[in-house]
Amino acid sequence: TGTVDFKRYATIDCTGDFDEESNVPLDGNGIAESSSFTTVPGFLSYAVHYDGDPNYEESYNHEGGELCEPLTITQLQSGVTTHVHDAAHSNITGSSVDVGTLVHDNAVVTQNGPVPTGDVTFALFNNISCAGSPTSSEGPVALVAGQAESTPFAPVVGGYGYQVSYSGDEHYSGSVGECEPFTIIRLDS
């Protein structure tokens, strides 16, 4: 029985300022848990104090050179899923469309945690393999709910490729999407 006090430090070695959660009761199995919170990349550590009860003396897991529980939090891996769209938002990636078609790129930053923030840059190449330097780029374009779109335009006849780069944010590392080829063809006469 009894309670524990949790000290959460923003360092890896239980030093410096801390947030304290006091008098957390032990359950019937002698277990207590601190409150959950959303982490950000960096370090944290915990030190715990057992307040004691009529049968057991108080004890520490850190003070006096005892245990400090360190944790390193790394950024989550991001991914970029992209598709070239026409004006009706149909996916034309890998397709041939008529000259005069308005096209734009759509990017979704994939997630396995909080909704990604930050921005993307859309690189446009005058080839279908995204080789060499881009002909133009647009960005940074801010993500909205983890998504962004490039400005529509009507390319001339030829092969093109879009490639999107994500900058990353406090939770996610940056990433680069695959090349998205599309071809603009002449109208039939």
Side-chain angles (χ1 to χ4, degrees), residues 79-129:
V80 181
T81 302
T82 54
H83 298 288
V84 181
H85 287 173
D86 62 15
H89 292 281
S90 298
N91 182 2
I92 62 168
T93 307
S95 301
S96 296
V97 295
D98 292 336
V99 68
T101 301
L102 284 175
V103 301
H104 67 274
D105 203 16
N106 173 269
V108 177
V109 177
T110 56
Q111 61 185 353
N112 56 356
V115 175
T117 59
D119 51 60
V120 295
T121 298
F122 296 93
L124 180 66
F125 296 81
N126 276 345
N127 60 71
I128 61 170
S129 61

Side-chain angles (χ1 to χ4, degrees), residues 12-177:
I12 200 162
D13 59 358
C14 295
T15 59
D17 294 336
F18 57 86
D19 292 320
E20 185 167 16
E21 191 173 347
S22 300
N23 301 315
V24 178
L26 296 171
D27 67 14
N29 295 316
I31 298 171
E33 292 187 14
S34 65
S35 299
S36 61
F37 68 100
T38 302
T39 59
V40 295
F43 302 107
L44 66 87
S45 56
Y46 277 96
V48 180
H49 172 253
Y50 172 59
D51 298 323
D53 70 8
N55 299 313
Y56 296 96
E57 293 181 8
E58 70 177 317
S59 62
Y60 296 86
N61 84 329
H62 172 62
E63 294 180 20
E66 295 186 24
L67 181 65
C68 174
E69 302 173 83
L71 181 63
T72 301
I73 299 104
T74 59
Q75 283 187 309
L76 298 168
Q77 295 297 311
S78 68
V80 181
T81 302
T82 54
H83 298 288
V84 181
H85 287 173
D86 62 15
H89 292 281
S90 298
N91 182 2
I92 62 168
T93 307
S95 301
S96 296
V97 295
D98 292 336
V99 68
T101 301
L102 284 175
V103 301
H104 67 274
D105 203 16
N106 173 269
V108 177
V109 177
T110 56
Q111 61 185 353
N112 56 356
V115 175
T117 59
D119 51 60
V120 295
T121 298
F122 296 93
L124 180 66
F125 296 81
N126 276 345
N127 60 71
I128 61 170
S129 61
C130 299
S133 297
T135 305
S136 65
S137 65
E138 180 182 349
V141 177
L143 294 177
V144 176
Q147 300 185 44
E149 289 192 347
S150 66
T151 303
F153 79 110
V156 297
V157 172
Y160 297 89
Y162 267 117
Q163 191 167 42
V164 176
S165 300
Y166 169 55
S167 64
D169 65 14
E170 71 175 336
H171 298 289
Y172 295 97
S173 61
S175 56
V176 178

